[in-house]
Amino acid sequence: MPTHSLNSSDILQGISNRDDRILSLLYEDYYPMVEQFVMRNQGNYDDAKDIFHEALIYIFQKVRKDEFSLSGNFRPYFFVICKNLWLQALRKKKNTPLEAHHLKAGELPAHLEGEEQTQLERYTLYQEYFALLGQDCRFILKKFLNGFSLARIAEELNFTAKYVKKRKYVCQKKLIDSIMADPRYDQLKITAHE
């Protein structure tokens, strides 16, 4: 049974339970796109295997800590995690910061078509602008998206909840405005029926 017949929660549950059937299906269906991306971006087969396994471990840890929830298709999100892990590995190898990495058409895995490709491009656009936010904005928004209350975030930052609420609003607005100003936004806009 291919993974596209499974929903995201089935896949996440399978990863969490270390279900060999789910892990085998993921390897069969997803590894080729990861390998293709890593090989096109200064990597080799061993690098691709390492990144694939690191992504599974990352998701396993997030699911176990209840920090990972997913409403959309699992494949584009998995690919973005692998992409980010590989870019971090490249940065460490070169010991120099990488500029914001924009996916080029040739870098998109052949396995992603139609809506999956559009979802990946939307998520990549979001991640590019999210990475450009200040450290405090990224921290607040990540915590908020992971279900932390404003009071708890304020406590961690040693600020008032009122300040964090205002800061969250400013950060969200900046992120949304930046994304909407990007020329790619109109092409990737979510239509009313989606």
Side-chain angles (χ1 to χ4, degrees):
M1 167 178 44
T3 52
H4 65 266
S5 63
L6 299 170
N7 64 38
S8 296
S9 54
D10 290 338
I11 294 172
L12 292 175
Q13 189 67 41
I15 292 171
S16 175
N17 294 335
R18 299 179 184 159
D19 183 327
D20 288 337
R21 183 181 64 90
I22 297 289
L23 295 173
S24 294
L25 289 171
L26 286 173
Y27 191 82
E28 185 179 311
D29 286 357
Y30 292 16
Y31 177 74
M33 72 176 175
V34 174
E35 181 183 281
Q36 181 183 10
F37 175 77
V38 170
M39 297 289 285
R40 286 186 178 181
N41 289 280
Q42 307 167 31
N44 58 41
Y45 295 109
D46 290 335
D47 294 327
K49 286 178 184 171
D50 289 346
I51 292 301
F52 184 86
H53 291 118
E54 280 182 49
L56 286 176
I57 291 167
Y58 171 84
I59 292 170
F60 173 79
Q61 291 171 340
K62 289 287 188 186
V63 171
R64 284 295 174 106
K65 292 179 184 174
D66 291 327
E67 292 179 6
F68 194 86
S69 61
L70 186 59
S71 57
N73 191 318
F74 182 78
R75 181 188 296 261
Y77 295 99
F78 184 78
F79 179 72
V80 169
I81 289 169
C82 291
K83 170 187 166 278
N84 288 339
L85 287 170
W86 178 238
L87 293 175
Q88 287 173 7
L90 282 178
R91 185 173 56 239
K92 285 177 187 170
K93 282 183 181 180
K94 293 180 178 180
N95 204 17
T96 56
L98 291 175
E99 294 178 19
H101 186 80
H102 300 278
L103 279 177
K104 300 175 185 79
E107 292 179 317
L108 288 171
H111 301 86
L112 295 180
E113 296 176 2
E115 183 55 29
E116 283 184 344
Q117 181 172 330
T118 303
Q119 282 182 344
L120 174 61
E121 289 171 353
R122 285 178 191 147
Y123 190 67
T124 301
L125 183 65
Y126 162 80
Q127 284 218 316
E128 287 173 13
Y129 285 103
F130 186 84
L132 296 175
L133 293 172
Q135 185 176 354
D136 66 324
C137 277
R138 291 194 311 269
F139 181 85
I140 290 168
L141 292 179
K142 270 185 190 176
K143 290 287 187 182
F144 185 75
L145 290 171
N146 282 319
F148 287 76
S149 69
L150 293 176
R152 186 166 170 198
I153 298 168
E155 188 178 303
E156 286 189 36
L157 291 173
N158 211 16
F159 291 128
T160 66
K162 185 177 179 180
Y163 172 80
V164 171
K165 181 178 180 180
K166 181 178 179 182
R167 191 74 186 126
K168 180 184 83 68
Y169 171 79
V170 169
C171 295
Q172 281 180 321
K173 184 167 177 9
K174 182 177 180 180
L175 178 61
I176 291 167
D177 290 348
S178 299
I179 291 170
M180 290 177 73
D182 190 292
R184 294 172 290 172
Y185 172 76
D186 286 333
Q187 298 166 348
L188 300 173
K189 242 192 292 195
I190 299 172
T191 57
H193 69 275
E194 290 181 313

